[in-house]
């Protein structure tokens, strides 16, 4: 019966993965509540959570302050995506193809911050980057228009793209690390009943989430 708005810091990718399930759960269990999402740089999250402007942050924030509470929801891994008409790329892209194929890179803060970037650099893998963007959702549209492009994105996002028919997921040329998707909150609001309820709802909503951790 509660009436309130919950605010979440989440990326556009997070919205695509989380919101269908979470919104359905919220409308079922608390139909008078609503959700507002915001996409902000990682360095602003602690301040937003401390002020109460944001209730939770959801994602894989590798630079999240140590002072925040953190709860793991599930593990994610990466996949390379290509256009369905790109016949040069088979079920697994070779390292040579990966280095020579023009690609889009998603960067969340003006520089490469995703977990797989450091692995590629450590292995000395060179990429022909034609565009860097902070937005995951533009990637399949660009590949649809320019079928020779590829990108490497979280696996569940690749699966969502693939459902629309123009994009297919292929195995990357090297093993890429898995990473944790967490929910974060500020200690000031650790005991607030509404947020305890929301955190529990989110945790339970994704307890039975498909096992998308490869291996």
């Amino acid at each position: 019966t509660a009436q309130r708005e919950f605010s979440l810091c989440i990326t556009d990718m997070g919205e695509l993965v989380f919101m269908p399930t979470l919104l359905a759960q919220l409308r079922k269990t608390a139909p008078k509540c609503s959700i507002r999402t915001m996409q902000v740089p990682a360095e602003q999250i602690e301040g937003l959570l401390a002020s109460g402007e944001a209730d939770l942050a959801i994602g894989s924030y590798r630079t999240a302050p140590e002072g925040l509470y953190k709860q793991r929801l599930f593990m994610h891994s990466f996949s390379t995506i290509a256009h369905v008409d790109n016949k040069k790329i088979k079920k697994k892209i070779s390292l040579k193809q990966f280095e020579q194929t023009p690609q889009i890179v998603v960067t969340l803060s003006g520089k490469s911050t995703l977990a797989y970037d450091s692995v590629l650099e450590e292995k000395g893998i060179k990429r022909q980057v034609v565009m860097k963007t902070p937005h995951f959702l533009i990637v399949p549209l660009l590949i649809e228009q320019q079928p020779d492009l590829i990108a490497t994105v979280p696996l569940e996002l690749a699966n969502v793209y693939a459902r629309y028919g123009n994009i297919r997921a292929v195995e990357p040329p090297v093993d890429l690390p898995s990473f944790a998707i967490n929910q974060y909150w500020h200690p000031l609001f650790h005991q607030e009943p509404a947020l305890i309820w929301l955190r529990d709802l989110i945790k339970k909503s994704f307890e039975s989430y498909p096992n998308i951790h490869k291996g």
Side-chain angles (χ1 to χ4, degrees), residues 162-182:
R163 291 205 295 266
Y164 292 93
N166 292 319
I167 302 297
R168 61 190 175 94
V170 299
E171 190 176 340
V174 295
D175 289 333
L176 297 173
S178 298
F179 65 101
I181 297 293
N182 304 305

Side-chain angles (χ1 to χ4, degrees), residues 28-39:
K28 178 181 178 182
T29 58
K32 295 181 181 180
C33 290
S34 63
I35 295 176
R36 178 170 68 98
T37 64
M38 58 182 82
Q39 186 170 358

Side-chain angles (χ1 to χ4, degrees), residues 7 11 25 31 49-50 53 75-76 99 130 132 146 169 184 190:
S7 298
T11 65
Q25 289 292 327
L49 292 173
E53 187 175 345
M75 296 296 292
H76 237 315
E99 289 190 320
V130 299
K132 293 181 179 181
Q146 301 183 58
Y184 303 83
H190 184 58

Side-chain angles (χ1 to χ4, degrees), residues 24-169:
Q25 289 292 327
L26 192 73
R27 294 188 70 191
K28 178 181 178 182
T29 58
K32 295 181 181 180
C33 290
S34 63
I35 295 176
R36 178 170 68 98
T37 64
M38 58 182 82
Q39 186 170 358
V40 298
E43 59 269 18
Q44 294 181 18
I45 287 175
E46 183 180 23
L48 291 170
L49 292 173
S51 70
E53 187 175 345
D55 296 311
L56 290 174
I58 298 177
S60 179
Y61 296 102
R62 293 192 298 157
T63 57
E66 291 294 321
L68 298 179
Y69 280 99
K70 178 174 70 173
Q71 182 181 42
R72 178 178 294 184
L73 299 174
F74 56 85
M75 296 296 292
H76 237 315
S77 54
F78 289 96
S79 176
T80 298
I81 58 174
H83 196 281
V84 291
D85 292 334
N86 190 338
K87 304 304 182 186
K88 295 180 181 179
I89 297 173
K90 308 302 181 185
K91 290 184 178 179
K92 179 174 181 178
I93 186 170
S94 70
L95 181 57
K96 183 177 180 180
Q97 279 182 311
F98 189 83
E99 289 190 320
Q100 293 180 351
T101 304
Q103 53 188 286
I104 305 163
V105 172
V106 178
T107 66
L108 300 182
S109 63
K111 59 183 179 180
S112 296
T113 56
L114 295 179
Y116 70 86
D117 281 300
S118 59
V119 173
L120 297 177
E121 291 171 5
E122 289 167 7
K123 293 180 180 291
I125 296 173
K126 307 297 183 184
R127 289 178 291 175
Q128 309 247 353
V129 179
V130 299
M131 180 178 175
K132 293 181 179 181
T133 174
H135 304 295
F136 284 101
L137 299 190
I138 190 64
V139 175
L141 302 178
L142 293 172
I143 294 178
E144 182 180 9
Q145 294 295 321
Q146 301 183 58
D148 62 318
L149 296 176
I150 61 171
T152 300
V153 299
L155 177 60
E156 179 60 14
L157 195 61
N159 292 337
V160 172
Y161 291 164
R163 291 205 295 266
Y164 292 93
N166 292 319
I167 302 297
R168 61 190 175 94

Side-chain angles (χ1 to χ4, degrees), residues 177-192:
S178 298
F179 65 101
I181 297 293
N182 304 305
Q183 57 177 341
Y184 303 83
W185 63 95
H186 199 276
L188 288 172
F189 300 95
H190 184 58
Q191 300 296 338
E192 184 177 329

